[in-house]
Amino acid sequence: MEYVVIERARLERYQRALPDLSLHLVVLNPSREVILQRDHDREKTPVAHHFVHLQQALVGELTGVGAWIDSSELTAEETVAAILRQPERARLASMSTGR
């Protein structure tokens, strides 16, 4: 599932709703400047300016949960490789029990 999750409470709701699944969280966390530049360089209409404010909330709510990857200087292929190198780091323990 791909979805923007910026609140710990929402992540916990997913875990309660899907107790038999092993959930993973990967946060791609490039710098604000890189986010805006990549968005500008796309052929589609830029939209990052509508969402870039969520970065601060995400950092405040979920730092330390899942695998965080600063993809500022990574290509798409390098980002995929970084995700695949650390699957256990992305695996979510039960947030309420620490399991």
Side-chain angles (χ1 to χ4, degrees), residues 81-95:
I83 293 167
L84 295 176
R85 274 194 304 271
Q86 51 189 340
E88 288 306 312
R89 196 165 140 210
R91 184 184 308 269
L92 296 177
S94 171
M95 296 181 85

Side-chain angles (χ1 to χ4, degrees), residues 32 35-37 39-40 45-54:
R32 176 185 171 89
I35 292 169
L36 293 172
Q37 185 62 52
D39 192 52
H40 178 267
T45 302
V47 296
H49 61 280
H50 294 296
F51 302 101
V52 75
H53 70 281
L54 297 176

Side-chain angles (χ1 to χ4, degrees), residues 39-92:
D39 192 52
H40 178 267
D41 293 345
R42 288 189 177 102
E43 292 181 18
K44 297 180 182 179
T45 302
V47 296
H49 61 280
H50 294 296
F51 302 101
V52 75
H53 70 281
L54 297 176
Q55 187 177 29
Q56 184 177 356
L58 179 67
V59 169
E61 281 279 322
L62 294 174
T63 292
V65 178
W68 285 62
I69 299 171
D70 180 350
S71 59
S72 296
E73 297 184 19
L74 301 178
T75 65
E77 293 79 11
E78 291 168 333
T79 300
V80 169
I83 293 167
L84 295 176
R85 274 194 304 271
Q86 51 189 340
E88 288 306 312
R89 196 165 140 210
R91 184 184 308 269
L92 296 177

